[in-house]
C-alpha cells in the first residue's frame, strides 16, 4: 500500500506537525508513505516538494495570490479566510504522477490547490479536518456562525451583508467539486468537528470517521522539572504558567485577551508566565509578575523541555479542534487548563488530568489555573495526564487504526455514509 500525505508544509503550523507525525508513524509500521508539500522545511528525503528555484519562489507568492479576492472585503475579521482559487499550481497533476493508492489530504490551503482540482485526483481521498475550511465557504474558524449548514453567504468573517458574497460562491464551488468525488472519506480529528461535518450541507452525504492525531510518547515524555527549568534559565522557586501557539499574541482566536484577564484575577502571586510562539509584544501587558517570552520553538526537544518546566499549561483558544499543545503537554505529564469547547474534552478530563473552564469565562479560567497549581494530588493529575495519551493517542495505538481505515477504503471503496469511531 502506497500512501501520499499532502499538506502545505512539513513543519509550519499544527496541521503540518500532525501530518508529519502520521507520515513517520506509517513508515515505522512498514507502510510506503511519502509526503507532498508546498513549503519544505525539513531535510527528510521522504518529503517531496518542487526544488526548482523558480517554482519555489512562485510557491512563496501563492498565499498572497490566494488572499486577493478576500482583500476586497474591507470589514473582514482578522481570522484566516482561504479562497483556494488560483490555478496552475500543478499539485493534482503531481499527486497523480506519483501514483499512490491513497491520498491523505491535511491542510491544503495557502494557495496550494484550487478547489476544483481536488476532483482531479484519481485515487481514493482521505481528508483530515484540521479546521472548518472543508465544509464552509472559506473560513477556517467559524466560531458561532452556522451558515455552513445551508449555503453560507452574509459571512461574518468577511464582514459581508450580501447573500451572494465570496463565501457563497466558494460554497457552491465546493458543492460542485465534492459531487464529482466518488471515494472521499473525511477524518474528524475530534468528536466535535466530526459532528460539525455531518451537520454541514457540503459533507453530510460523505463518509465521516472519527480518528485523532497521534503523538510519539517517547519524544514527548516526562523529565525532571528542575533540570528542565535550568536548561531554559527559568526560576526554580516559582509556579510557572505556560501559554503558547503560533502567533500566540496576534491571533485573536488563541485567547490571549482572555488569558490576560484570567491572570489578573489570580490570587497566587508566586507565579511567572512563559509565552512561547511569540516574541515580546510592543505593548506587553503588565501582570504584576514576571513574564518570559521565549519565541517560536520549532523542535520537539525544546517543546518537551518547556512542557516539563511548567506547572500548568493554559490553552485559552476560542475555538480548538484537537490541540497539539494540549496533547504534547499531557504526554509530558503536565496538566492543562482550557475552555470546554471543540475537541478539548477529548483530551482533558475535568479535574482528573486538567481543568475545563466554562467557555470564554476568564474568571473560571483563573479558577482552573489556581485549582491545578494548588492541587494536593498534583502528582496524580500528572500521572493521569500521561496515561490518557498513552491509552488513546500514542502513535502505536492510533497508526494501526489509520492503516485499517486505508485498507478498508481500498477493499470496499468506502462508499457507506457513516460516522465511525475506529
Amino acid at each position: 500500500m502506497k500512501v501520499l500525505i499532502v499538506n502545505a508544509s512539513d513543519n509550519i503550523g499544527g496541521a503540518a506537525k500532525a501530518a508529519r507525525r502520521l507520515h513517520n508513524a506509517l513508515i515505522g509500521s512498514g507502510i510506503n508513505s511519502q509526503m507532498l508539500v508546498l513549503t519544505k522545511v525539513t531535510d527528510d528525503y521522504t518529503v517531496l516538494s518542487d526544488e526548482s528555484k523558480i517554482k519555489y519562489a512562485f510557491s512563496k507568492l501563492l498565499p498572497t495570490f490566494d488572499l486577493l479576492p478576500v482583500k476586497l472585503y474591507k470589514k473582514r475579521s482578522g481570522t484566516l479566510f482561504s479562497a483556494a482559487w488560483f490555478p496552475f499550481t500543478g499539485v493534482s497533476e503531481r499527486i497523480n504522477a506519483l501514483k499512490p493508492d491513497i491520498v491523505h489530504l491535511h491542510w491544503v490551503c495557502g494557495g496550494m490547490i484550487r478547489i476544483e482540482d481536488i476532483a482531479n485526483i484519481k485515487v481514493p481521498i482521505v481528508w483530515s479536518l484540521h479546521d472548518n475550511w472543508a465544509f464552509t465557504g472559506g473560513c477556517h474558524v467559524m466560531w458561532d456562525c452556522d451558515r455552513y449548514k445551508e449555503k453560507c453567504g452574509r459571512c461574518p468573517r468577511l464582514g459581508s451583508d450580501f447573500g451572494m458574497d465570496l463565501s457563497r460562491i466558494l460554497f457552491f464551488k465546493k458543492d460542485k467539486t465534492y459531487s464529482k468525488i466518488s471515494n472521499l472519506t473525511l477524518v474528524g480529528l475530534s468528536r466535535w468537528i466530526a459532528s460539525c461535518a455531518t451537520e454541514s450541507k457540503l459533507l453530510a452525504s460523505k463518509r465521516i470517521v472519527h480518528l485523532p492525531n497521534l503523538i510519539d510518547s517517547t519524544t514527548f515524555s516526562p523529565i525532571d522539572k528542575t533540570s528542565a527549568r535550568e536548561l531554559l534559565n527559568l526560576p526554580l522557586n516559582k509556579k510557572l504558567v505556560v501559554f503558547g501557539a503560533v502567533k500566540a499574541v496576534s491571533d485573536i482566536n488563541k485567547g490571549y485577551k482572555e488569558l490576560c484577564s484570567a491572570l489578573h484575577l489570580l490570587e497566587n502571586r508566586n507565579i511567572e508566565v512563559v509565552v512561547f510562539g511569540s516574541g515580546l509584544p510592543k505593548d506587553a501587558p503588565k501582570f504584576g509578575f514576571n513574564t518570559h517570552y521565549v519565541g517560536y520553538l520549532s523542535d520537539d526537544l525544546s517543546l518537551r523541555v518547556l512542557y516539563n518546566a511548567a506547572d500548568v499549561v493554559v490553552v485559552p483558544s476560542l475555538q480548538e479542534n484537537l490541540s497539539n499543545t494540549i496533547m504534547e503537554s499531557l504526554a509530558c505529564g503536565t496538566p492543562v487548563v482550557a475552555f470546554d469547547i471543540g475537541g478539548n474534552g477529548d483530551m482533558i478530563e475535568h479535574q482528573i488530568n486538567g481543568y475545563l473552564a466554562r467557555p470564554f469565562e476568564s474568571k473560571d479560567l483563573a479558577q482552573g489555573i489556581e485549582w491545578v497549581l494548588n492541587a494536593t494530588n498534583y502528582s496524580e493529575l500528572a500521572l493521569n495526564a500521561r496515561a490518557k495519551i498513552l491509552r488513546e493517542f500514542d502513535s502505536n495505538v492510533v497508526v494501526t487504526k489509520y492503516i485499517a481505515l486505508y485498507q478498508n477504503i481500498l477493499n470496499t471503496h468506502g462508499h457507506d455514509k457513516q460516522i465511525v469511531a475506529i
Side-chain angles (χ1 to χ4, degrees):
M1 176 168 49
K2 184 178 180 181
V3 178
L4 183 65
I5 306 288
V6 182
N7 195 77
S9 170
D10 58 344
N11 201 40
I12 301 174
K17 291 184 177 181
R20 189 159 54 87
R21 287 170 183 170
L22 174 59
H23 167 62
N24 290 336
L26 289 169
I27 292 175
S29 298
I31 300 297
N32 180 3
S33 178
Q34 292 179 305
M35 190 170 180
L36 180 64
V37 301
L38 191 64
T39 303
K40 182 175 178 178
V41 178
T42 70
D43 60 358
D44 187 343
Y45 74 93
T46 65
V47 177
L48 311 175
S49 66
D50 201 314
E51 296 181 357
S52 162
K53 290 184 178 180
I54 294 176
K55 289 189 175 181
Y56 177 78
F58 176 69
S59 70
K60 292 292 186 181
L61 297 174
L62 288 175
T64 301
F65 292 152
D66 191 60
L67 286 174
L68 291 178
V70 183
K71 289 185 176 180
L72 297 173
Y73 292 83
K74 304 303 181 183
K75 297 180 181 179
R76 66 185 183 277
S77 69
T79 55
L80 183 62
F81 189 103
S82 296
W85 68 277
F86 196 76
F88 317 125
T89 64
V91 170
S92 60
E93 291 86 348
R94 184 81 186 276
I95 289 171
N96 292 330
L98 290 169
K99 298 182 178 179
D101 298 308
I102 291 276
V103 171
H104 192 155
L105 304 180
H106 285 261
W107 200 88
V108 291
C109 295
M112 184 176 193
I113 191 168
R114 187 175 63 152
I115 292 170
E116 295 91 333
D117 290 343
I118 298 173
N120 296 331
I121 297 172
K122 296 179 179 179
V123 298
I125 299 172
V126 175
W127 193 349
S128 284
L129 303 177
H130 288 272
D131 57 32
N132 307 139
W133 186 80
F135 54 81
T136 69
C139 71
H140 292 261
V141 179
M142 64 188 185
W143 287 330
D144 59 350
C145 178
D146 63 357
R147 291 184 173 90
Y148 71 96
K149 295 179 180 180
E150 296 181 7
K151 54 186 176 181
C152 287
R154 295 185 175 84
C155 176
R157 304 287 80 78
L158 294 174
S160 166
D161 294 324
F162 297 99
M164 188 54 72
D165 61 9
L166 180 62
S167 72
R168 184 169 294 180
I169 292 170
L170 296 178
F171 189 97
F172 288 155
K173 280 188 178 183
K174 288 181 180 179
D175 195 25
K176 184 177 180 180
T177 298
Y178 296 166
S179 68
K180 297 177 181 178
I181 305 173
S182 61
N183 201 336
L184 172 63
T185 300
L186 290 306
V187 174
L189 299 174
S190 65
R191 292 191 298 267
W192 165 75
I193 205 163
S195 176
C196 291
T198 62
E199 293 175 349
S200 71
K201 185 176 185 297
L202 288 174
L203 299 181
S205 64
K206 300 298 182 180
R207 186 190 189 198
I208 300 168
V209 302
H210 169 222
L211 265 179
N213 293 326
L214 49 78
I215 189 168
D216 183 344
S217 60
T218 59
T219 299
F220 288 93
S221 58
I223 60 174
D224 179 68
K225 192 176 294 293
T226 298
S227 299
R229 293 187 178 193
E230 287 175 343
L231 283 169
L232 296 173
N233 196 29
L234 293 170
L236 303 179
N237 60 344
K238 297 285 186 179
K239 296 286 188 180
L240 293 185
V241 177
V242 170
F243 158 74
V246 176
K247 299 180 181 177
V249 175
S250 60
D251 185 345
I252 59 175
N253 187 57
K254 297 304 179 183
Y256 187 65
K257 177 183 175 183
E258 286 71 19
L259 175 68
C260 291
S261 298
L263 291 175
H264 280 296
L265 296 172
L266 294 180
E267 295 180 5
N268 185 347
R269 307 309 291 179
N270 187 40
I271 71 170
E272 294 193 4
V273 176
V274 183
V275 179
F276 70 96
S278 173
L280 178 67
K282 182 178 179 181
D283 298 313
K286 305 296 183 183
F287 298 131
F289 38 74
N290 197 28
T291 304
H292 308 266
Y293 290 86
V294 298
Y296 179 66
L297 303 179
S298 60
D299 63 289
D300 291 343
L301 178 58
S302 297
L303 286 168
R304 178 191 181 193
V305 173
L306 180 58
Y307 292 131
N308 276 282
D311 291 290
V312 63
V313 170
V314 185
V315 181
S317 304
L318 308 185
Q319 179 176 297
E320 274 293 353
N321 182 14
L322 198 73
S323 164
N324 283 337
T325 298
I326 294 176
M327 191 180 295
E328 292 162 359
S329 179
L330 294 178
C332 291
T334 302
V336 180
V337 176
F339 291 125
D340 189 8
I341 48 92
N344 291 349
D346 288 10
M347 295 178 287
I348 300 172
E349 296 179 341
H350 185 57
Q351 296 187 331
I352 294 175
N353 64 2
Y355 189 99
L356 289 169
R358 290 185 293 275
F360 322 130
E361 291 188 17
S362 293
K363 184 176 180 180
D364 199 30
L365 191 69
Q367 183 173 319
I369 295 170
E370 295 269 18
W371 184 86
V372 171
L373 293 179
N374 298 329
T376 56
N377 64 334
Y378 182 87
S379 60
E380 183 181 342
L381 297 179
L383 290 173
N384 291 341
R386 181 159 174 80
K388 175 74 172 180
I389 299 304
L390 293 176
R391 188 170 61 248
E392 299 181 26
F393 301 95
D394 180 74
S395 294
N396 294 327
V397 173
V398 179
V399 73
T400 58
K401 298 180 180 181
Y402 275 101
I403 293 170
L405 173 64
Y406 299 152
Q407 290 174 335
N408 175 265
I409 291 169
L410 292 175
N411 292 338
T412 66
H413 305 294
H415 288 310
D416 295 335
K417 177 188 177 294
Q418 55 186 313
I419 307 175
V420 183
I422 293 180

